[in-house]
Amino acid sequence: MNKNFLTFLLFLALVTQVKAQDSLQNNQPIRAEFDELIETSNNYQGYKVVEYDQLIELRNTTSEYIDELRNEITTQENTIDRQNQELEEFEIQLQDTEADLERVNNEKDAITFLGIPFSKAGYKTVMWSVVGLLILALLFFIYRYKSSHTTTKEARQRLKETENEFDAYRAKALEKEQRLGRLLQDERNKSSSST
């Protein structure tokens, strides 16, 4: 937008300068007055005789015209200087605006996470990396849980089998002990009855 405005100002300055040059070339009252003075003057022995009043009037008109041209030149120079100054100010504003735009774009593209500024792409990369690591950790823990659960289930099964075997062994041992106790009692009874 500022570049378009800057281009418009340059175009306006150029058009103004061209119009000023055209008006100077097309508006030549002095030449017309000289031509009129030459045509209205009398001829005398190959010379042109000019009336004094007409010559003074031509001098005054020429002087006024030169003053008008000087004023117009001064005005044009002032206009050019003013336009150049405005152009410089617009260029400075354009540079400031571009710097602000770049700063805003950088701020818009930046995300602060834990006090650390990241670009959006960097932030997305970090966040997806963290999510990926968390998913891998979750999968690892699920695997470990299933593995542990399977091991625990197997250990419980073996414990149950061992307890069953132990109960069977205890029952056999108790039966054996009772049988041995009876045999011992029988032997005692036999020994006591024989005495």
Side-chain angles (χ1 to χ4, degrees):
M1 183 171 138
N2 286 334
K3 289 183 180 180
N4 290 340
F5 186 68
L6 189 61
T7 305
F8 175 72
L9 282 179
L10 288 173
F11 179 72
L12 184 64
L14 182 64
V15 167
T16 305
Q17 191 171 10
V18 167
K19 281 187 178 181
Q21 288 175 355
D22 285 345
S23 68
L24 289 176
Q25 290 172 355
N26 293 336
N27 191 6
Q28 298 180 353
I30 294 177
R31 182 175 183 96
E33 284 193 31
F34 268 113
D35 290 342
E36 184 181 332
L37 184 65
I38 291 170
E39 286 178 17
T40 59
S41 62
N42 296 325
N43 288 331
Y44 177 73
Q45 295 180 353
Y47 296 100
K48 286 282 191 176
V49 177
V50 179
E51 289 186 24
Y52 181 75
D53 292 336
Q54 287 180 341
L55 194 56
I56 296 297
E57 184 180 333
L58 179 62
R59 182 187 69 183
N60 291 341
T61 305
T62 305
S63 179
E64 288 173 7
Y65 186 67
I66 290 173
D67 288 342
E68 286 177 14
L69 289 177
R70 283 185 182 146
N71 289 338
E72 189 172 343
I73 289 171
T74 304
T75 304
Q76 292 295 331
E77 286 176 349
N78 291 339
T79 302
I80 290 171
D81 290 343
R82 183 177 45 79
Q83 288 175 346
N84 285 337
Q85 186 178 11
E86 287 176 359
L87 185 62
E88 289 174 5
E89 290 173 4
F90 285 127
E91 286 176 353
I92 291 170
Q93 286 178 355
L94 178 63
Q95 290 172 353
D96 291 344
T97 304
E98 287 175 348
D100 288 344
L101 179 63
E102 186 173 337
R103 181 183 52 79
V104 167
N105 283 339
N106 289 338
E107 287 176 2
K108 185 180 82 170
D109 193 38
I111 296 174
T112 303
F113 180 68
L114 300 175
I116 302 169
F118 288 101
S119 68
K120 282 187 179 178
Y123 176 76
K124 285 180 182 178
T125 302
V126 168
M127 290 311 295
W128 282 113
S129 298
V130 168
V131 167
L133 287 174
L134 289 174
I135 288 173
L136 288 175
L138 178 65
L139 292 174
F140 175 74
F141 285 119
I142 289 172
Y143 169 76
R144 293 289 294 176
Y145 172 76
K146 284 188 175 186
S147 175
S148 297
H149 183 66
T150 304
T151 305
T152 304
K153 198 174 188 182
E154 289 174 1
R156 282 184 183 165
Q157 184 67 28
R158 277 192 243 130
L159 178 63
K160 199 177 219 182
E161 289 172 1
T162 305
E163 283 177 353
N164 289 340
E165 286 176 11
F166 182 69
D167 286 342
Y169 173 75
R170 194 174 7 177
K172 282 183 185 179
L174 184 62
E175 189 180 306
K176 190 176 183 182
E177 188 179 324
Q178 287 174 353
R179 195 178 50 199
L180 285 175
R182 272 190 245 126
L183 284 173
L184 182 63
Q185 190 64 37
D186 286 345
E187 286 297 319
R188 275 188 201 160
N189 287 340
K190 280 186 193 178
S191 311
S192 6
S193 39
S194 30
T195 9

